[in-house]
Amino acid sequence: MDFYYLPGGSGCRTVIMTAKALGVELNKKLLNTMAGEQLTPEFIKINPQHTIPTLVDNGFAIWESRAIATYLVEKYGKDDSLYPKDPQKRAVVNQRLYFDLSTLYDAFAKYYYPIFRTGQPGDAEAWKKVETSFEFLNTFLEGQTYVAGSQLTVADIAILSTVSTFDIAEFDLKKYPNVAKWYANAQKVTPGWEENWEGLQQLKKMRTIAIPSMDLYYMPSPGASRAVIMTAKAVGVEFNKKVVVNVFEGDHLKPDFVKINPQHTVPTLVDNGFVLWESRAILIYLAEKYGKDDSLYPKDPQKRAVVNQRLFFDLATLYDAISSYYYPAFKTGKFGPPEAWKKIENGFELLNTFLEGQEYVAGSQLTIADISILATISTIEVVDFDLKKYPNVDKWYANAKKVTPGWDETSPGLQIMKELLQPKKA
């Protein structure tokens, strides 16, 4: 039996594990689809659909991994345990196989496979399909050890191949306890698991090459930089490197940095060659491009409008007031004039009003508006400011620090700010 395959392919691994379970040897023939070997006339003659895996058993050619797996069981199985002959049991196995192809694997392909072409995953809608697929699988496995009955079948093998592909993509299975329990057991009881895992490592190397390079030029203390780091944490992306640009020493005016950002401001993001600055623009970009859903920056026009309004309020009112009053101390050791203090009071009074009866600043859930405003007003941690005068803000601030990803990672930047302020105040 000739088997045309690639080690990393999910369908190929399904067939390999099924053959192992049956004690069947495959004459494996690597087919490099990246090099277009599936399009050669010789292979198209075997499989006009030019897909892998493809099996040729003594002149009989068959493709589509789940069809191959069931064929192998029916022809070479010592019994029917992997693919039952009982119509009802077989029907359940078939249903799970079609679910694997059209729902679970399809969700993986739509969200993760764009990485190989563009370096970026699919959109929020594609991510939602992933979550829905696992919710279904978790339901199927309620009170069951196997996906299609009381014993291991080709349905388990096919779905194991797919789920393990999610595993190397660092998908969090713990959210789906039935699936996580089944997955741990399936690894132990499925023949050929080790070869499946080896194939996945090859796939992982390919995926790693495609991951984009994302650099952040920043200072640890300013709220704008901390807002970007917290948002990145919230959407689950890592920066390739964080380059500290010390504006006090003029790093932002060096030719190399000015070439990247002619406005020479921090933070500045460089995502695979795309350059962006102004923290709130960066927050929107990260949420839109890397967010698994639109919760941080809603697509609904009215919800998004409120988030945008709060972001502009943060920049033009809150941040402007805080920087006008407190930031002169970095240069002169003295805070700003009384009219600057009045702007701070006005800004916090408005924010207190926005938060009347609300847990978050722009709706019923955490958004980038909360993250941006949290970063801005956290300056109160390093100065003498009585937040209790604004009870709604005080309550929101305490909660925001708990629920915002990355707060603990970025809060040490406030200590740096405090140290910069304290000597000049003295």
Side-chain angles (χ1 to χ4, degrees), residues 63-360:
W63 53 93
E64 210 306 298
S65 63
R66 296 154 194 86
I68 297 172
T70 55
Y71 166 76
L72 288 174
V73 176
E74 290 196 301
K75 184 161 186 180
Y76 296 102
K78 296 181 177 66
D79 54 43
D80 70 340
S81 60
L82 287 174
Y83 191 51
K85 291 179 180 177
D86 176 271
Q88 290 189 351
K89 291 180 180 179
R90 176 171 288 203
V92 176
V93 173
N94 286 337
Q95 185 275 322
R96 300 299 196 258
L97 289 172
Y98 285 112
F99 164 78
D100 176 45
L101 175 61
S102 65
T103 304
L104 193 61
Y105 178 77
D106 182 66
F108 180 90
K110 285 185 168 62
Y111 185 75
Y112 288 101
Y113 278 7
I115 292 173
F116 293 103
R117 298 189 301 272
T118 67
Q120 313 300 336
D123 57 18
E125 184 178 345
W127 177 253
K128 184 63 180 173
K129 287 182 179 179
V130 169
E131 293 182 312
T132 301
S133 299
F134 273 89
E135 286 165 6
F136 284 141
L137 183 57
N138 200 65
T139 300
F140 298 159
L141 284 162
E142 185 66 40
Q144 291 198 183
T145 305
Y146 300 101
V147 299
S150 59
Q151 60 190 6
L152 184 79
T153 67
V154 289
D156 291 278
I157 296 174
I159 291 176
L160 174 62
S161 179
T162 302
V163 171
S164 60
T165 313
F166 279 96
D167 188 10
I168 62 109
E170 299 177 359
F171 181 77
D172 185 11
L173 284 176
K174 293 184 179 66
K175 292 171 61 179
Y176 311 94
N178 297 333
V179 179
K181 184 180 178 181
W182 164 84
Y183 182 56
N185 179 65
Q187 295 174 43
K188 296 175 184 176
V189 302
T190 304
W193 163 257
E194 292 78 10
E195 189 170 351
N196 175 74
W197 191 249
E198 288 170 8
L200 285 165
Q201 301 318 300
Q202 295 191 36
L203 181 65
K204 188 173 184 179
K205 287 177 184 177
M206 293 170 63
R207 177 181 176 270
T208 301
I209 292 169
I211 290 177
S213 167
M214 189 154 50
D215 299 339
L216 179 68
Y217 295 81
Y218 81 121
M219 283 190 72
S221 55
S225 294
R226 289 184 283 109
V228 171
I229 293 171
M230 286 189 283
T231 300
K233 192 81 171 178
V235 299
V237 297
E238 296 287 337
F239 297 110
N240 182 46
K241 59 182 177 181
K242 297 176 188 174
V243 182
V244 176
V245 179
N246 191 333
V247 298
F248 295 112
E249 295 182 3
D251 287 353
H252 61 307
L253 299 175
K254 291 180 179 178
D256 288 347
F257 185 66
V258 173
K259 188 176 180 180
I260 295 170
N261 175 357
Q263 200 174 343
H264 50 78
T265 56
V266 291
T268 293
L269 179 75
V270 181
D271 184 6
N272 206 31
F274 173 69
V275 182
L276 184 65
W277 56 91
E278 210 307 298
S279 66
R280 293 154 194 86
I282 296 173
L283 305 193
I284 293 171
Y285 172 75
L286 290 174
E288 289 196 306
K289 185 158 189 180
Y290 296 104
K292 295 182 175 67
D293 53 42
D294 71 338
S295 59
L296 287 173
Y297 192 55
K299 290 181 178 178
D300 177 88
Q302 292 188 353
K303 291 179 180 179
R304 176 171 286 201
V306 176
V307 173
N308 287 336
Q309 186 275 321
R310 300 298 196 257
L311 289 171
F312 284 116
F313 164 78
D314 176 41
L315 176 61
T317 303
L318 276 178
Y319 176 76
D320 180 68
I322 287 172
S323 61
S324 296
Y325 184 73
Y326 288 111
Y327 285 10
F330 289 113
K331 296 178 181 178
T332 67
K334 296 180 180 179
F335 293 141
E339 54 268 29
W341 175 253
K342 185 64 181 173
K343 286 183 179 180
I344 287 182
E345 291 183 313
N346 178 60
F348 274 84
E349 286 166 5
L350 288 169
L351 182 58
N352 199 66
T353 300
F354 298 158
L355 285 162
E356 185 65 41
Q358 289 199 184
E359 193 172 353
Y360 299 101

Side-chain angles (χ1 to χ4, degrees), residues 303 358-367 370:
K303 291 179 180 179
Q358 289 199 184
E359 193 172 353
Y360 299 101
V361 300
S364 60
Q365 60 190 2
L366 183 79
T367 67
D370 292 277

